[in-house]
Amino acid sequence: MKMKSIVVFCASSFGNSPVYEAVATQVGQTFAQQGIQLVYGGGKVGLMGAVANGALAAGGEVIGVIPHFLNSKEREHTGVTKLIMVDTMHDRKRLMNEYAEGVIALPGGFGTLEELFEMITWGQLGLHRKPVGLLNTNGYYDHLIRFVEHMVNEGLLRQENRDMLLVADTIDELLDKMERYDAPLVPKWIQKDEV
């Protein structure tokens, strides 16, 4: 399925390596070139700003969603196609989810991980059937991927739920995986023998 709109979660800082900014910019450019609307956190700083600027510079459409209280911290991006102000972080995630057909996490900190895992959890619970992708730029998420495998090995995460998290090193490879994604038919809380 060719996606028309994808939400991107990422850092509001640049990190220590210039590769993170370069790849975030490339992601935005790729979205614009492929006609994918970017939905993101609405900031103009860090990787958030880079992905938005990449899309805008290439003629793409960008929707930013930012809570009022983050305006002074993340400094909302006034150049986006549409900027939506919300009251809470939960409102932000809910609205971003409504606008997007898929989810991608670029490198980021606690906020990025919280957003990523909430979206994958919603998918696991059958609240949506969207692909959720992890762009493993420069091996940034290698340790997290190993930990997720550890969760499976310890019997605390089902393999079919682990497989819901799509991982790739390049945006083209990740988009290809997302377009071919089929969500599990049985939500987590329903046992297979109940279906």
Side-chain angles (χ1 to χ4, degrees), residues 1-9 31 36-40 63 65 84 92-104 119 122 127-132 178:
M1 171 190 82
K2 178 69 174 169
M3 287 173 291
K4 298 176 183 166
S5 182
I6 297 175
V7 62
V8 170
F9 299 125
F31 279 22
I36 300 169
Q37 180 186 68
L38 168 66
V39 181
Y40 85 117
I63 295 178
V65 184
I84 303 169
R92 182 194 217 182
K93 283 180 289 191
R94 179 187 50 77
L95 199 56
M96 291 167 90
N97 178 57
E98 289 174 9
Y99 268 97
E101 297 174 350
V103 175
I104 292 177
M119 289 300 114
W122 289 2
L127 300 176
H128 70 71
R129 298 180 53 79
K130 301 172 185 180
V132 178
M178 292 174 75

Side-chain angles (χ1 to χ4, degrees), residues 119-126 128 157 161 164 186-189:
M119 289 300 114
I120 196 82
T121 300
W122 289 2
Q124 180 177 262
L125 296 176
H128 70 71
L157 178 67
N161 294 133
M164 294 172 68
V186 181
K188 173 184 166 70
W189 70 85

Side-chain angles (χ1 to χ4, degrees), residues 76-91:
E76 77 273 13
H77 196 312
T78 55
V80 297
T81 311
K82 183 175 185 179
L83 184 65
I84 303 169
M85 307 295 290
V86 295
D87 291 326
T88 68
M89 295 292 280
H90 183 73
D91 290 339

